[in-house]
Amino acid sequence: MKKIAIVTGGGSGIGLAITERFVQNNIHTIIIGRDEQKLCAAKEKLGPLCEPLVGDLNDLASIPKLVNGIIEKHGQIDVLVNNAGINMKKEFTDVTDEDFQRIILTNVTAVFALSREVVKSMMKKGVKGAIINISSMASQYGIPKVIAYTASKSAIEGMTKAMAVELSPKGIRINCIAPGFIATDMSAKALNNDPERKFKALDRTPMGELGKPSDIGDAAVFLASEAASYITGVVLPVDGGNSVGF
Ligand code: NDP
């Protein structure tokens, strides 16, 4: 039977690359995002195994209905990739409480709410599922001017472990990928106007270059597959060595 996956933020950057790899591996992949045009362009590129679903994950109340709609249409969800995320680069003292909450809502609370609904469906249907969270180098070491983003990604790594110990006995594996500096719109915004930051990012990357979104796609395919059937609770850096760089 064909596997059914959800990739949040699957219309661009890393999420699009994960979706591309899933589709190449015959996984029917539902991509969720707010920008319909972006999602449709992804479908146009990737074909019938890519299914766009417009939704704003910040609208927590809409999430149970969104998941139920997928279950009604496809019967079950086998894989969830919590990839959607936002970043904000600001001096520590300029970050307002509203700024902080906005990042936490998208990067943490929505991830929890969606995972909870998907896990409920997996347990109800007896699905041996896989959930993949996306963290960042911001939780491997300190990066200035990204306080809320760092808090959110550290939370994701903690949640990965807590979910793994609670849900793995029920047959659901939870893992996390910590991408290094990957060439996407998000990293371009953070690095291109800040040559010093870009130099630092590359200087401590032993492999000497930014990663490609497909590098994360390859890792996600592995963690979602039977080849990773005894792997749960790990945070896998896919970073050209950045997290251990000197
Ligand atoms: P992009 O900005 O290209 O992608 C982010 C995606 O998230 C978009 O497709 C966006 O879709 C979606 N999204 C954001 N908010 C919402 C929301 N409220 N509801 C639904 N979808 C939403 O960034 P990247 O591809 O670079 O990042 C993907 C993930 O990888 C993020 O979690 C990021 O933190 C992480 N990461 C990226 C790194 C990098 O170097 N690029 C490094 C480390 C981690 P839409 O606009 O349509 O809503």
Side-chain angles (χ1 to χ4, degrees), residues 1 6 10 18 53 58 65 74 79 93-95 101 106 164 170 172 178 181-182 186 193 224 236 242:
M1 205 170 68
I6 297 175
I18 294 172
L53 183 58
N58 290 346
K65 200 169 153 211
H74 294 286
V79 178
T93 48
D94 290 340
V95 176
Q101 287 298 355
T106 304
K170 303 181 197 308
I172 304 171
F181 291 86
I182 309 296
M186 184 187 280
N193 298 325
L236 175 66
N242 181 277

Side-chain angles (χ1 to χ4, degrees), residues 8-16 18 32-36 38-39 53-59 82-87 105-107 110 133-138 149 152-153 177-189 191 210-211 213 216:
T8 66
S12 66
I14 290 174
L16 179 60
I18 294 172
I32 300 177
R34 296 160 298 178
D35 181 340
E36 187 170 9
K38 207 157 65 176
L39 297 178
L53 183 58
V54 179
D56 183 349
L57 297 165
N58 290 346
D59 180 6
N82 286 309
N83 162 80
I86 52 172
N87 196 356
L105 175 60
T106 304
N107 291 8
N133 296 323
I134 305 289
S135 172
S136 161
M137 288 303 108
Y149 184 75
S152 74
K153 294 303 186 180
I177 296 170
F181 291 86
I182 309 296
T184 68
D185 288 350
M186 184 187 280
S187 63
K189 266 184 219 147
L191 298 178
L210 296 182
I216 311 303

Side-chain angles (χ1 to χ4, degrees), residues 210-224:
L210 296 182
K212 299 183 295 300
S214 60
D215 294 325
I216 311 303
D218 288 331
V221 166
F222 166 64
L223 288 174

Side-chain angles (χ1 to χ4, degrees), residues 36-56:
E36 187 170 9
Q37 263 188 335
K38 207 157 65 176
L39 297 178
C40 289
K43 186 189 171 49
E44 192 78 1
K45 182 175 175 217
L46 301 182
L49 285 180
C50 171
E51 180 183 338
L53 183 58
V54 179
D56 183 349

Side-chain angles (χ1 to χ4, degrees), residues 21-130:
R21 286 291 192 258
F22 278 10
V23 163
Q24 286 164 353
N25 282 271
N26 205 30
I27 301 174
H28 184 97
T29 308
I30 296 152
I31 53 174
I32 300 177
R34 296 160 298 178
D35 181 340
E36 187 170 9
Q37 263 188 335
K38 207 157 65 176
L39 297 178
C40 289
K43 186 189 171 49
E44 192 78 1
K45 182 175 175 217
L46 301 182
L49 285 180
C50 171
E51 180 183 338
L53 183 58
V54 179
D56 183 349
L57 297 165
N58 290 346
D59 180 6
L60 301 177
S62 70
I63 289 178
K65 200 169 153 211
L66 186 127
V67 172
N68 285 338
I70 295 171
I71 297 296
E72 272 167 29
K73 188 165 173 192
H74 294 286
Q76 67 184 52
I77 297 162
D78 301 282
V79 178
L80 166 64
V81 183
N82 286 309
N83 162 80
I86 52 172
N87 196 356
M88 183 190 53
K89 200 170 144 199
K90 254 191 187 184
E91 298 275 348
F92 180 82
T93 48
D94 290 340
V95 176
T96 66
D97 294 341
E98 290 73 26
D99 287 335
F100 197 89
Q101 287 298 355
R102 189 171 59 85
I103 303 291
I104 297 296
L105 175 60
T106 304
N107 291 8
V108 180
T109 318
V111 168
F112 161 68
L114 180 61
S115 300
R116 181 194 57 212
E117 295 309 311
V118 169
V119 164
K120 276 188 205 167
S121 81
M122 286 173 171
M123 284 167 58
K124 202 166 156 194
K125 305 260 173 183
V127 172
K128 304 291 177 209

